[in-house]
Amino acid sequence: AIANTALPSIAQDLAVSPEAAIWVINAYQLVIVASLLPLAALGQRFGARRVFLFGVALFSLSSLCCALVNGLAALTAARALQGLGAAGIMAMNLAMVRQIYPARMLGRGVGLNAFVVGIGYTSGPSLAALILSLGPWPWLFAINVPLCGWAWVLGRRHLPRAESNRSAAFDGPLAAVLAVTLGAALLAMTQATRGQAWATVAALATLATLGALWVRQRQRHQAQPIWPSDLLRLPAFALSVLTSISSFATQGLAFVGLPFFLEQSLHRDTVESGLLLSTWALVVALTGPWAGRWSDRVRPAVLGSVGLLGLGVGMGLLASLQPDASTLDISWRMAWCGLGFGLFQSPNLKAIMSSTPPERSSGGSGMIALARLSGQTIGAALVACCFAWFDHNGAQAALWLGCLTASLAAVFSASRLRFNAHMTLEENRP
């Protein structure tokens, strides 16, 4: 989260346009999306701990490269390498939470995870501002090196040593084509919303479609496919993934649209807008552990539906703000949205992991991260469409659209009530 704040400084220091500097973010996200599921398959084969530690080590090394390079092309390449390391961490994270926590306490584990992630997103912009006040932007990346080194030592010492599953074959060509397919699909979406040439968008979409057809044919008879078609045939798993995509699309609509709405319609400056947005993330972080504990007693479908309906109402409350709204009025509406999102997130994570067979934990964990990033990307793309369709009212239209996507997520969540998303063979694990 810390790198986004540095984009203006990076563009100025490297003498490039803001549009070109965006590739510092795009390269990172593209590689994460492309490599999540292949790395999850490697975790299935060689163990989650090994892939996770690989991700931490690569993130540290690539952070050092980001801090030392002096050109946009080199920085973009280093950020792509950093994305590969981040994908190794993200793909394995919840698989290891599942190994550590017994089934009856899984909600507590994912709730703690949601708390840590929320604190990271809340503190990232403030920490970036502090570092930039003391030194140049490369320090933002250099700070990762000792932190990741410490994390690697702790992980090697304490993370569970699950046995490798040598029976889980890894299909290298399939992994490569799937990575290209996912990357092309994401790039086609982002290029389309930025007004790029339709010939380029069509070529990327065609590449993604052909890749998807080849992947489907290639893995038709595989017991543990890299693209988790076996898991997506499980109703509770599929509905939970759809819930996640829709809810994170709402978050994307909010977090991309709100800065414009706050600054252009409500006349707040950049600093105040950042602090107001932090209210949402902070409430999500504080709600996560409690929602996780509740999900050990109440069905995730119920908690998730209640939270997502609240999120939809909150998006409407934000969209209806008037130019003379007070800071307190904005803040409690932000907090309401954060509460709704927090009530959804931890129970939904538990629902996905609980509906995943134990031997496919890595695939489930990778799909969680992919659903989150896909939803956020869709949300950002929808904001661009709102600006194209509604001009200066685009930010407010994006918030109203967030009401719709949150309500859709609530429908997907409530549909899980027909299925017992809690019960797997793992429920009896001590």
Side-chain angles (χ1 to χ4, degrees):
I2 204 172
N4 295 5
T5 308
L7 277 184
S9 298
I10 292 173
Q12 181 178 4
D13 188 55
L14 298 181
V16 298
S17 67
E19 183 178 0
I22 288 291
W23 278 101
V24 174
I25 304 299
N26 286 350
Y28 180 77
Q29 292 178 331
L30 276 171
V31 173
I32 291 178
V33 169
S35 57
L36 271 171
L37 294 181
L39 286 170
L42 281 176
Q44 203 81 49
R45 178 75 168 82
F46 298 106
R49 178 177 177 273
R50 290 182 178 178
V51 175
F52 184 89
L53 291 176
F54 159 79
V56 174
L58 185 58
F59 196 91
S60 180
L61 175 62
S62 57
S63 296
L64 180 61
C65 294
C66 290
L68 295 177
V69 298
N70 56 7
L72 180 63
L75 178 59
T76 301
R79 282 284 285 171
L81 193 64
Q82 195 178 44
L84 184 62
I89 296 169
M90 295 167 67
M92 297 296 102
N93 189 31
L94 287 171
M96 288 190 302
V97 170
R98 191 181 192 184
Q99 292 176 18
I100 294 167
Y101 284 83
R104 68 180 185 278
M105 297 173 61
L106 183 57
R108 183 179 303 182
V110 297
L112 178 60
N113 183 76
F115 169 75
V116 172
V117 172
I119 290 297
Y121 276 110
T122 303
S123 61
S126 300
L127 183 59
L130 175 61
I131 293 174
L132 289 174
S133 70
L134 299 174
W137 62 262
W139 288 22
L140 296 174
F141 298 105
I143 194 175
N144 288 327
V145 178
L147 291 175
C148 288
W150 181 42
W152 189 88
V153 171
L154 290 175
R156 184 171 175 81
R157 183 177 301 173
H158 297 295
L159 290 178
R161 296 174 178 271
E163 293 184 1
S164 303
N165 183 7
R166 299 296 178 180
S167 64
F170 180 75
D171 189 333
L174 176 61
V177 173
L178 179 60
V180 172
T181 299
L182 293 172
L186 177 65
L187 192 56
M189 184 185 304
T190 56
Q191 296 293 81
T193 57
R194 289 174 182 164
Q196 297 298 317
W198 284 105
T200 301
V201 175
L204 289 168
T206 301
L207 177 61
T209 302
L210 293 175
L213 293 173
W214 189 88
V215 167
R216 180 183 179 185
Q217 178 65 29
R218 174 88 174 190
Q219 66 174 25
R220 177 174 295 179
H221 302 296
Q222 293 182 359
Q224 297 184 353
I226 297 179
W227 172 257
S229 54
D230 58 329
L231 298 179
L232 291 170
R233 284 193 289 267
L234 302 173
F237 183 92
L239 286 169
S240 297
V241 168
L242 288 172
T243 301
S244 184
I245 292 173
S246 300
S247 58
F248 279 102
T250 306
Q251 187 197 59
L253 283 161
F255 277 37
V256 177
L258 273 171
F260 293 96
F261 184 65
L262 291 171
E263 294 180 29
Q264 296 176 359
S265 299
L266 304 186
H267 313 298
R268 261 53 184 189
D269 60 33
T270 303
V271 174
E272 189 175 3
S273 296
L275 291 174
L276 288 168
L277 282 168
S278 296
T279 304
W280 178 321
L282 181 60
V283 173
V284 171
L286 296 177
T287 306
W290 293 103
R293 288 174 180 266
W294 293 336
S295 69
D296 288 329
R297 301 175 178 84
V298 181
R299 294 188 66 176
V302 175
L303 282 175
S305 300
V306 171
L308 290 166
L309 287 173
L311 175 61
V313 171
M315 293 292 286
L317 290 171
L318 287 173
S320 61
L321 282 167
Q322 299 300 312
D324 59 349
S326 67
T327 299
L328 179 61
D329 197 16
I330 301 172
S331 297
W332 77 259
R333 296 175 196 229
M334 287 282 192
W336 181 275
C337 288
L339 178 63
F341 195 89
L343 283 175
F344 136 80
Q345 186 171 229
S346 296
N348 197 65
L349 292 175
K350 181 183 178 181
I352 292 178
M353 294 309 297
S354 295
S355 58
T356 304
E359 67 276 8
R360 294 285 280 135
S361 292
S362 293
S365 181
M367 199 63 193
I368 286 173
L370 182 61
R372 179 174 71 247
L373 289 169
S374 299
Q376 290 170 340
T377 302
I378 291 171
L382 289 174
V383 173
C385 293
C386 287
F387 277 114
W389 295 336
F390 300 100
D391 197 20
H392 61 279
N393 292 321
Q396 188 176 32
L399 297 180
W400 285 118
L401 183 57
C403 297
L404 179 61
T405 55
S407 300
L408 181 63
V411 171
F412 287 135
S413 179
S415 299
R416 296 177 296 181
L417 290 170
R418 294 178 296 165
F419 307 99
N420 193 349
H422 280 299
M423 295 302 294
T424 67
L425 294 175
E426 192 192 19
E427 274 304 311
N428 296 320
R429 182 166 63 90

